[in-house]
Structures are given as C-alpha cells and as structure tokens.
Amino acid sequence: MSKIKHAKLPEAAPAAPAASTNGGGRDYPRIVVPPPGPKGREIVKLDKTYSSTSYIKEYPLAVSHGKGAMVEDVDGNRYIDFMAGIAVSATGYCHPAVVKAVQEQAGKFLHICGTDFYFEGMSKLCERLAQVAPGKGKKRVFLTNSGTEAVEGAIKLARSSTRRTDLIAFRGAFHGRSYGAMSLGSSKAKQRAHFGPFLPGVHHIPYPDAYRTETGGKDLSEFSLSFLHELFRRHVSPDDVAAVFIEPMLGEGGYVLPPLKFLQGLREICDAHGILLVFDEIQTGVGRTGKMWAADYFGVEPDVLVTAKGLGSGMPIGAIIAKESVMKWESGSHGSTFGGNPVSCAAALVTLDLVERELAKNARVMGERMMAGLKKLQAKHSVIGDVRGAGLFIGVDFVKDRETKEPAKDLVHDLVQQSFRKGLLLLPCGESVIRLAPPLVVDEYDVDTGLRILDEVLTFLTR
Ligand code: PLP
C-alpha cells in the first residue's frame, strides 16, 4: 500500500520538454507566479464576497484567455487543459472557425426566440442533429440552453408521449440540477440534500461497473439487468414506466463504461414493455468518446437522446433529439425563450463540422495515446487501480489498495490541486476518479506533457 503525503509540491514551473514530435518551442505549461497570482487573488476575493456560496471552484484558476488546449490565467501562468471546462470546449479555446461564426452571427442578430419565429441557423441545426443522431429513422429536435433543460424536456416528452408516469434511472447518474433532472440523479447526496421532495415515481437501479461491481461470478450485464427484472417483479409495473434514462457511459459518477450486452439488453427490455430508452449524451456526445455519440459504440438506438456541453464549443446550447414517432407533442406544449439562441446555433453548426471532419478521429487517436501512457503510469503507480475510457473520455480510478479497491479520495484531491500548481488542469469525478476530458484538439505534445506532469505529481505524493 502506498503512503500518501499531503505536503506541497515545489511551486516552480515545470520545464517543458526540450523537443517533442510536434510541439518544440511551445510556451506552455508555464508557471510564472504561484497561482493564484496577485490579479487572480483579487478576482477570487471579489467572487467570494458576492457569488453564491453553492459554487464549487475546484481550484483558484482565474482565466484570462485560451488557445487550443492551453489556458492562460490573469497572471500569465499557462496550463494544459485536461478538463475542457467540464468536457465542454470540444474545439479547444477560440477555434478560429467557431470565433468567426460567432462574430458573424453576433453582427446580424443576437435573439429572436426560436420557439415563436424562424431563422435559418436553428432550422439547419435541427436538420443536422436529426441527421447525425444514431439510427436510421427520421428524428425531430428541440433546442435548449443547457443539459439540464434538455433532460427536463425529455422527461416531459417521455411522459406525454407514453401517457405513463414512472421513470427509471441509475445509481451514480448525474442529469442536472433542476427538479426533474435532480430526481433522476443519484451521484452525490449533497446535490439532493434538503431540496426534496423530488419527482414521484423515479426508481434507481445500479449502473454496471466492471471494476467495482461484485457479481459473485455472474455475467455483469445479466447481473445488472436482473435489478430491472426485480424492480418490475416487486415494485413497479413496467406498464407504468414512461422511460429509462441512462448515460451510455457514466460521467460525473466516475467515467464508467458499461458492457456492450448491457445496453443491448436494456433496449430489448424497453421494447418489450413499450418503455422509451433515453440516452443522456450531454457529456459523452459530439465526438468526446471518439465517435459522434457513445451510442455508436454499442449499436443501440435510443428513442430520445439529449446532448449539450461540447455541442456549442462553450456557447450555451443543448438538444433533445427524438424519433419522429415520439416527438409529436402539441404546438405550445413545450418551449424556451433562449433555447436555440442564434449565436449558439452558429457555434454548434461549425462545431459539428469540425467534429465530423477531424476531431472525432483526433479524439480516437489521442485517446489511444493517452490510454497507453496511463497504462504505463498504472504499471508504475500502485495507487492507480483502473484506467478506462473511450476516445478522450478517460477515467483513472485511484485506490488506497489494489486488493480492497478502497477509494483514495485524499490522494485525488491532492493530485488535482498540485497538478494545477504545476500547470495541468484536472477535474475529479466519482469517488476517487480523475476524468481526463481535454479539448478534442489536443495533440501529442499536450498528451505527453500532461501525462508527464501527472507522473511527477503522483511520484511526489506517493513517495
Ligand atoms: N447530464 C450529464 C450526463 C451531465 O454530465 C451534465 C453536466 O455535467 C448534465 C446532464 C447537466 O448539464 P448542464 O450542466 O448543462 O445543465
């Protein structure tokens, strides 16, 4: 078992490698003053005085600007970003094509309200999303401002389309912060504490986690699906269930990939009972996993897919994409003042172009490189219990002991904090997982340099 130290790393800037395959002469990462520097401290102080106490603020990063996978803070420190503002900045910071589309649209009109009027960008984005959605049949699209709003709308759509009430979701799931989305969530008790009561008729079953589920020798897919059968046998009639909501790869809950057969089995059960299968691809969608959708890995077509995060490269936009047979709700039954904002639509159209043309592939190639590097780190550091993922959606699960798999929460906390001070931006998820979800534009230099910092910090913390 590794001894974990909670001491501080030296604050000195990490020296970038002298040469790399394509990154020679890069000027990041670069720590010129221990963060937060004087300007950063001013912002942190102001924020702490007036902003909501509910904000998390993982570490005191005060951003000035970014380019590609590099973020610069207000004091001139430069970081490699391995978290993309929670898996959002798909095309990196300030991709010229995205910036151009945003600027052009901003010069025409900022708002008109797509619920009530027409504009080309919105119609084209609906067409585009309907075409790239998994499965062949015709789809329809409703545009939102955020992931939560897409989940909320999908709950309403599922209930109104099936005329049923109940919903099934998974332990560890995160679907957002509004009441419907929160009711489906089961990621952290803190996110629900004192906010109840929640939507009635929501039932949670375990998410299949190949690393942490004890199946007693049974097949993980069958074992996990047995909870659904049990639910239908004892607790709720499947005829009352409108939809099953699932992240086809679990995000906030720990970057967990379910077995192929599990999602296929879930599809079959939903079909047998007329239950809608809703994929929450808010974190996994738009090229993040190396394909346009995580669903594409499983060959499973959901009835409804919700997405957001990477779709607008940082401009706020989300979508509910549903089979035409499902999205038949009456005119006026659902709407949104800002959903499908013209500037966000413009950013999303260019983002989809870039992802389709090059970034999904880059996510696959760079994801493989990152995964190979992490496997080497796993061989070196016994605190790394598991490395899993697809494309640039990678989870590194830290344990105190590989036998007991006890989560190494303090280590993950220290790793995130100390990596920041060495010029690498990380984010945790699950109990003791670091999620690696960089902008999809990362290259060899970014991947190799980020992993080198991770190695250095881990070596220091576990020596
Ligand atoms: N669903 C999933 C899978 C998410 O990861 C998130 C955000 O992290 C949400 C829903 C909520 O999205 P938003 O924060 O845009 O409301």
Side-chain angles (χ1 to χ4, degrees):
M1 195 168 134
S2 308
K3 238 175 78 213
I4 295 159
K5 298 212 169 37
H6 301 289
K8 282 207 156 187
L9 270 185
E11 305 278 13
S20 80
T21 46
N22 67 351
R26 296 280 178 98
D27 51 5
Y28 66 90
R30 171 184 93 178
I31 301 296
V32 292
V33 52
K39 290 182 184 160
R41 283 202 296 276
E42 281 300 308
I43 292 170
V44 170
K45 191 171 152 209
L46 181 64
D47 199 277
K48 285 206 180 302
T49 310
Y50 290 108
S51 75
S52 166
T53 50
S54 63
Y55 289 126
I56 301 169
K57 313 288 187 189
E58 296 280 350
Y59 34 81
L61 169 71
V63 175
S64 157
H65 60 276
K67 191 167 190 313
M70 183 282 292
V71 171
E72 183 167 329
D73 75 14
V74 287
D75 293 289
N77 294 316
R78 290 183 180 168
Y79 307 83
I80 294 181
D81 181 1
F82 270 13
M83 55 90 195
I86 322 194
V88 167
S89 308
T91 55
Y93 294 89
C94 300
H95 192 292
V98 178
V99 171
K100 183 164 174 274
V102 165
Q103 285 174 339
E104 278 178 11
Q105 180 54 47
K108 290 180 188 162
F109 59 99
L110 294 175
H111 175 75
I112 188 64
C113 187
T115 293
D116 290 311
F117 307 103
Y118 297 93
F119 62 94
E120 192 182 29
M122 180 169 181
S123 308
K124 282 205 153 154
L125 182 59
C126 290
E127 176 196 39
R128 192 68 185 280
L129 286 168
Q131 286 170 350
V132 298
K136 291 210 170 62
K138 181 163 180 261
K139 313 289 189 303
R140 288 190 177 274
V141 178
F142 181 95
L143 297 175
T144 67
N145 295 284
S146 69
T148 296
E149 191 192 343
V151 169
E152 212 67 33
I155 294 173
K156 288 173 66 180
L157 178 63
R159 281 183 163 177
S160 77
S161 151
T162 59
R163 297 289 195 266
R164 298 177 180 184
T165 51
D166 283 26
L167 304 164
I168 293 173
F170 288 81
R171 288 196 205 127
F174 181 84
H175 295 288
R177 304 284 193 161
S178 53
Y179 267 91
M182 225 190 344
S183 305
L184 295 176
S186 162
S187 178
K188 290 194 177 92
K190 188 204 269 192
Q191 292 163 355
R192 293 164 59 98
H194 319 304
F195 291 133
F198 300 99
L199 277 193
V202 176
H203 314 277
H204 288 96
I205 56 172
Y207 194 96
D209 179 341
Y211 183 58
R212 292 196 180 273
T213 309
E214 293 293 342
T215 66
K218 296 198 183 106
D219 174 78
L220 180 60
S221 294
E222 283 169 27
F223 180 78
S224 305
L225 290 172
S226 71
F227 291 99
L228 195 54
H229 295 303
E230 173 76 1
L231 189 74
F232 290 161
R233 206 165 38 240
R234 297 189 187 280
H235 194 67
V236 55
S237 163
D239 295 345
D240 286 333
V241 178
V244 174
F245 278 74
I246 185 166
E247 295 162 79
M249 296 180 188
L250 192 67
E252 304 299 308
Y255 272 41
V256 177
L257 276 61
L260 193 73
K261 268 174 40 201
F262 175 76
L263 287 182
Q264 293 169 347
L266 198 57
R267 177 72 272 179
E268 282 167 21
I269 294 171
C270 287
D271 286 343
H273 297 291
I275 297 170
L276 298 179
L277 181 59
V278 183
F279 277 2
D280 180 340
E281 294 237 25
I282 285 163
Q283 191 149 171
T284 51
V286 197
R288 166 66 42 205
T289 64
K291 294 186 188 270
M292 184 57 79
W293 312 107
D296 297 334
Y297 279 96
F298 300 95
V300 172
E301 182 183 350
D303 301 297
V304 180
L305 183 151
V306 287
T307 193
K309 284 196 184 282
L311 179 59
S313 285
M315 292 302 294
I317 189 157
I320 308 169
I321 310 170
K323 289 181 178 168
E324 188 170 49
S325 55
V326 172
M327 194 172 267
K328 292 199 293 199
W329 42 11
E330 204 187 329
S331 167
S333 60
H334 192 59
S336 172
T337 298
F338 293 122
N341 168 272
V343 183
S344 298
C345 285
L349 282 165
V350 177
T351 302
L352 288 170
D353 281 344
L354 291 165
V355 169
E356 270 190 326
R357 206 182 310 139
E358 58 197 77
L359 295 184
K361 178 162 183 255
N362 192 57
R364 279 198 300 279
V365 174
M366 288 302 128
E368 274 166 28
R369 190 179 184 94
M370 196 174 259
M371 194 68 104
L374 287 166
K375 292 276 180 200
K376 282 191 194 147
L377 292 188
Q378 186 180 21
K380 182 173 169 190
H381 300 282
S382 64
V383 287
I384 299 182
D386 192 33
V387 180
R388 60 208 174 217
L392 289 169
F393 179 93
I394 299 179
V396 187
D397 205 325
F398 288 87
V399 290
K400 289 189 179 165
D401 182 316
R402 279 190 182 163
E403 286 293 307
T404 65
K405 298 184 184 174
E406 189 185 337
K409 293 182 193 173
D410 291 343
L411 173 67
V412 166
H413 171 267
D414 289 357
L415 193 55
V416 170
Q417 297 305 319
Q418 298 302 348
S419 295
F420 165 59
R421 282 156 184 92
K422 295 273 280 178
L424 176 65
L425 304 181
L426 298 175
L427 262 188
C429 64
E431 277 210 88
S432 57
V433 177
I434 297 282
R435 67 177 103 182
L436 300 179
L440 307 183
V441 296
V442 281
D443 62 12
E444 287 94 338
Y445 173 84
D446 300 315
V447 169
D448 296 351
T449 310
L451 290 182
R452 183 178 54 75
I453 296 174
L454 200 61
D455 184 20
E456 281 173 20
V457 178
L458 261 182
T459 303
F460 175 81
L461 290 174
T462 58
R463 91 207 131 110

